[in-house]
Amino acid sequence: MPAKESSSPLARWTRDGGQMVLELSGDWRRGGGTADIQGEAPDEAPARYDTDELGDFDSTLPAFILSHLRSVAKPGDDAKPPLDGLPPDLRGLMELALAVPEEVEARQTPAEFSEIKKLGKTSINVWASVLSVAEFTGQSVLALGRFVTGRARFRARDFWVIVQECGAQALPIVSLISFLVGLILAFVGNVQLANFGASLYVADLVGIAMFREMGVMMTAIIMSGRTGAAFAAHLGSMKANQEIDALKTFGFDPFDFLVLPRLLALVLMLPLLTLYANAVGIFAGMLVGAAVGIPPVLYWNETVATIGLTMASLGVFKSVFFGAVIAMSGCLQGMHAGNSSASVGEATTRAVVASITAIIILDSGFAAIFTVLDI
Amino acid sequence: MNNSPENPQAKITVRDLTMAYDSFVVMRDLNFEVAEKDIFIIMGGSGCGKSTLLRHLIGLLEPAQGNVFYGNENFTAAGPLERVKFIRRFGVMYQSGALWSSMTLAENIAMPLEENTELAPKAIRDLVSYKLSLVGLSGYEDYYPAQISGGMNKRAGIARAMALDPDILFLDEPGAGLDPLSSRRLDDLILRLRDSLGSTVVIVTHELSSIFAIANNSIFLDTATRTQGAVGNPTELRDHSENPAVRLFLRRGEKSEPPSIPMS
Ligand SMILES: Nc1ncnc2c1ncn2[C@@H]1O[C@H](COP(=O)(O)OP(=O)(O)OP(=O)(O)O)[C@@H](O)[C@H]1O
Ligand SMILES: [Mg+2]
């Protein structure tokens, strides 16, 4: 094709014996600069087009014409505006663009809210989410009931896969974190206790801290970031893909099928992980002890003497609740996610934030109760 | 190693292409050319590798063997940076629509325009509503993909593929899920785009009526032999192809007379 010199796009409105004529000339190309519009745009569709001087064009030209035609179209008037004088290609494109009338009903006016309305909306949303948490908890209890009576339906295979994911596969990270926590506790404790020549009490300190709080806390927080988030993302994308609807239409209760195995798996595995974390923490303390001259046997005896069965079971007891909280907030947020990929991300964030907050609040509650009960 | 197409005039040249997922060979030894301004159909039974071929053409998958050329440049051998300059000229509609679900339809179409052109916001808005009008969706600018129907999603995907007036338009089953009228309008649209913008169009489809109405060239992927069954104009293939599988496919499984296709 010979390289033509491109001229800038120009549109001119003229009146020819009472009829509006739109003269189009130049090259209407995306890179060719903004169109120069001469004459005043009328509030009617042009009766005719004059395109003798028109050069090349891409979509910018039909877009320009269409935008004028749409802006002057009368609502409810289905008559097609005349397209005389347009070159055949352009005319064909315009006919296609006008073939389906604009769906005026569909247009959404962006909602404008005053501050008061926003406040109201926020309060309603907060209340709604409280309700949805309550409803979800209720449903979980019912589902547990169905499970206990053997009427809940889910695939055992799914359950074991989830058990593996939130159990065995979490071991490395749980080991690392609880080892380091045990190490830190022992080091910090030893610096102070050594002042009194009471280094041996490092064993008590590490044992009590791990068994009562740190073991279960760290494990729960790791699991909500790891597994709670995974639950929310998994169920959220199932929701977005209508996979949950597909379950429903096959007669599966999504609650039994998706939430129950996750809930059971985590309630089962979190206590075990907690026990394991406690053991690793104690082991780390023992290593530090050995480094500062406490023989492991002595360390062990001291630990066993301080920590009775009651104290050893406190953390594990709490972990049952924490496991339920993590699984439920992950599943709740996933099941209530919106339909877009972004909403899956939001659901995941909310699940983690909600479960960590709930864990900390629950833990303070437990601390208060245990103090009152003097255990 | 042959590093140039035999016919540099052709828009797309595929030479000895073998497509595989790891060790699973989907199709082998594909050889065909798509000429400038062709409306080229990729057809074949479900699961035979049509979408896979499309993904090879646009560089989402790497050939196990063979080359894809655009003009006389080797696309397969090009590095990631060189490929960008090819890919800029493509418009692609995916089989599942693949609209960005967190953006409205208008934003879906505007994003390529905003990122790749210097257009003013008003011009972009006009272009967006023009593209949506072309697929019969004007008025749905502010809807999210989840709020419109399956067929509408498909059409919005086509509008997005056309956003940049691409030189080559790739459409994966654009007609599936559309009513006969929309599907007919889509055929018109494809012809118009080819005529007005000079685009080349590569379409995966099984809709026989639209194949005969718009295509001037096609490739048939044969599941039985795992290679191309025939290349050529679909009407001629239906009447004169030597490959019985091709004739059967193009006659909807009827062995003898070709179905009467109403002339448009
Ligand atoms: N990501 C993948 N990994 C492995 N195999 C795949 C993958 N995607 C597709 N396949 C296989 O490649 C073959 C061709 O798939 P492809 O999606 O190209 O089919 P198609 O011709 O587009 O079918 P349809 O008309 O149903 O869309 C199928 O056998 C499929 O199982
Ligand atoms: Mg496909």
Side-chain angles (χ1 to χ4, degrees):
Chain A
M1 228 196 284
K4 278 187 298 185
E5 203 175 309
S6 74
S7 52
S8 57
L10 173 71
R12 185 178 342 176
W13 293 99
T14 51
R15 201 166 268 285
D16 174 25
Q19 283 193 324
M20 241 17 247
V21 179
L22 178 56
E23 281 178 34
L24 298 164
S25 58
D27 292 321
W28 289 68
R29 297 219 148 263
R30 253 193 342 245
T34 338
D36 186 7
I37 298 163
Q38 297 179 353
E40 201 179 322
D43 54 2
E44 58 183 309
R48 191 158 64 72
Y49 296 82
D50 180 350
T51 55
D52 294 342
E53 304 286 310
L54 183 61
D56 282 348
F57 64 88
D58 62 13
S59 293
T60 43
L61 179 56
F64 166 76
I65 300 175
L66 186 72
S67 123
H68 177 74
L69 294 183
R70 290 257 195 254
S71 69
V72 301
K74 313 248 179 328
D77 181 10
D78 277 348
K80 298 263 156 26
L83 298 170
D84 300 322
L86 291 178
D89 286 344
L90 185 52
R91 191 183 167 126
L93 285 172
M94 290 306 301
E95 276 167 1
L96 275 173
L98 293 166
V100 179
E102 186 177 13
E103 198 64 53
V104 190
E105 302 271 291
R107 275 217 186 280
Q108 294 167 328
T109 39
E112 271 196 32
F113 288 126
S114 64
E115 293 303 314
I116 301 272
K117 268 193 184 167
K118 268 188 212 156
L119 182 68
K121 262 211 169 307
T122 318
S123 324
I124 291 174
N125 286 343
V126 169
W127 180 236
S129 60
V130 169
L131 284 185
S132 75
V133 170
E135 190 195 331
F136 201 83
T137 317
Q139 279 187 322
S140 309
V141 173
L142 287 181
L144 276 177
R146 284 197 294 274
F147 173 69
V148 171
T149 54
R151 280 179 295 129
R153 204 149 51 119
F154 60 82
R155 295 198 308 168
R157 213 179 140 258
D158 283 357
F159 172 73
W160 292 115
V161 169
I162 299 166
V163 164
Q164 184 185 351
E165 274 167 6
C166 65
Q169 291 179 359
L171 282 179
I173 179 81
V174 171
S175 314
L176 178 71
I177 304 279
S178 36
F179 183 80
L180 291 179
V181 168
L183 216 61
I184 294 168
L185 283 173
F187 267 124
V188 173
N190 182 55
V191 171
Q192 301 303 321
L193 292 171
N195 288 337
F196 307 101
S199 281
L200 182 56
Y201 288 103
V202 166
D204 301 48
L205 185 133
V206 173
I208 294 176
M210 283 312 288
F211 272 101
R212 287 193 81 113
E213 295 292 341
M214 293 312 274
V216 62
M217 244 342 202
M218 295 316 288
T219 314
I221 289 176
I222 294 168
M223 292 311 278
S224 59
R226 196 181 169 280
T227 305
F231 288 174
H234 187 175
L235 299 199
S237 35
M238 285 186 77
K239 172 91 190 305
N241 280 336
Q242 297 184 318
E243 291 171 44
I244 293 189
D245 295 347
L247 281 177
K248 281 188 199 151
T249 47
F250 274 111
F252 299 113
D253 182 343
F255 215 90
D256 289 2
F257 209 79
L258 298 173
V259 179
L260 202 53
R262 289 178 168 72
L263 186 63
L264 291 174
L266 212 53
V267 167
L268 182 70
M269 293 320 280
L270 201 65
L272 294 180
L273 283 174
T274 302
L275 269 180
Y276 172 76
N278 294 344
V280 173
I282 303 273
F283 172 68
M286 207 179 273
L287 285 187
V288 174
V292 299
I294 310 169
V297 180
L298 199 55
Y299 189 102
W300 177 249
N301 288 340
E302 182 65 25
T303 307
V304 175
T306 325
I307 298 167
L309 191 60
T310 325
M311 196 184 295
S313 52
L314 283 186
V316 176
F317 172 74
K318 290 195 281 191
S319 71
V320 173
F321 293 87
F322 293 173
V325 163
I326 297 168
M328 274 165 47
S329 70
C331 295
L332 168 74
Q333 299 300 343
M335 301 271 273
H336 289 199
N339 284 325
S340 71
S341 46
S343 63
V344 175
E346 282 163 23
T348 312
T349 313
R350 271 203 304 270
V352 174
V353 171
S355 61
I356 292 184
T357 316
I359 286 168
I360 308 251
I361 293 176
L362 264 183
D363 195 50
S364 352
F366 280 125
I369 293 173
F370 294 158
T371 312
V372 171
L373 295 181
D374 202 17
I375 26 182
Chain B
M1 162 113 200
N2 84 8
N3 206 15
S4 65
E6 274 142 44
N7 173 10
Q9 235 67 55
K11 192 90 183 172
I12 312 175
T13 309
V14 171
R15 278 285 153 261
D16 305 322
L17 176 68
T18 296
M19 314 186 290
Y21 289 102
D22 298 323
S23 60
F24 170 63
V25 175
V26 180
M27 280 278 148
R28 65 176 86 246
D29 301 329
L30 301 184
N31 280 290
F32 60 90
E33 285 170 5
V34 180
E36 173 116 35
K37 289 193 170 202
D38 258 4
I39 293 181
F40 185 89
I41 305 279
I42 301 173
M43 55 192 176
S46 178
C48 68
K50 302 179 296 296
S51 301
T52 307
L53 175 55
L54 203 72
R55 293 162 74 82
H56 277 84
L57 294 181
I58 57 186
L60 288 176
L61 292 173
E62 296 303 319
Q65 238 167 48
N67 290 287
V68 177
F69 299 89
Y70 284 93
N72 56 11
E73 290 176 85
N74 190 332
F75 179 67
T76 305
L81 284 177
E82 296 164 68
R83 279 198 184 183
V84 171
K85 101 176 175 280
F86 293 97
I87 290 170
R88 285 260 161 78
R89 293 156 44 204
F90 298 168
V92 186
M93 190 215 85
Y94 297 90
Q95 190 165 6
S96 55
L99 293 172
W100 296 303
S101 55
S102 54
M103 297 185 203
T104 62
L105 299 194
E107 288 166 343
N108 260 285
I109 300 170
M111 188 163 93
L113 289 164
E114 281 161 1
E115 298 304 317
N116 290 312
T117 68
E118 310 276 286
L119 291 172
K122 160 93 170 82
I124 292 188
R125 261 201 314 283
D126 287 353
L127 274 173
V128 166
S129 51
Y130 164 63
K131 302 283 169 176
L132 282 175
S133 299
L134 280 181
V135 294
L137 283 179
S138 100
Y140 289 94
E141 276 85 347
D142 296 324
Y143 277 61
Y144 285 91
Q147 297 174 313
I148 58 175
S149 76
M152 288 160 88
N153 257 293
K154 213 129 228 189
R155 287 186 277 151
I158 299 169
R160 185 180 69 178
M162 301 185 315
L164 291 167
D165 289 339
D167 190 24
I168 310 178
L169 195 57
F170 295 94
L171 306 173
D172 197 345
E173 306 208 3
L178 297 189
D179 62 283
L181 290 183
S182 305
S183 157
R184 172 67 190 272
R185 264 200 299 277
L186 181 63
D187 290 349
D188 285 352
L189 176 61
I190 291 168
L191 288 170
R192 287 288 172 204
L193 286 176
R194 193 264 309 266
D195 295 343
S196 66
L197 302 174
S199 308
T200 306
V201 193
V202 176
I203 310 175
V204 172
T205 182
H206 322 272
E207 314 260 316
L208 287 182
S209 55
S210 98
I211 292 179
F212 293 121
I214 61 176
N216 59 342
N217 200 353
S218 67
I219 182 170
F220 175 83
L221 302 181
D222 194 344
T223 333
T225 57
R226 296 212 170 274
T227 184
Q228 65 196 54
V231 178
N233 181 302
T235 319
E236 279 164 26
L237 290 184
R238 176 190 63 198
D239 298 339
H240 308 296
S241 173
E242 285 155 19
N243 186 337
V246 179
R247 292 200 307 271
L248 215 57
F249 182 92
L250 287 169
R251 292 173 186 177
R252 313 175 92 215
E254 285 151 39
K255 292 232 161 43
S256 50
E257 282 302 288
S260 60
I261 301 296
M263 291 268 94
S264 48

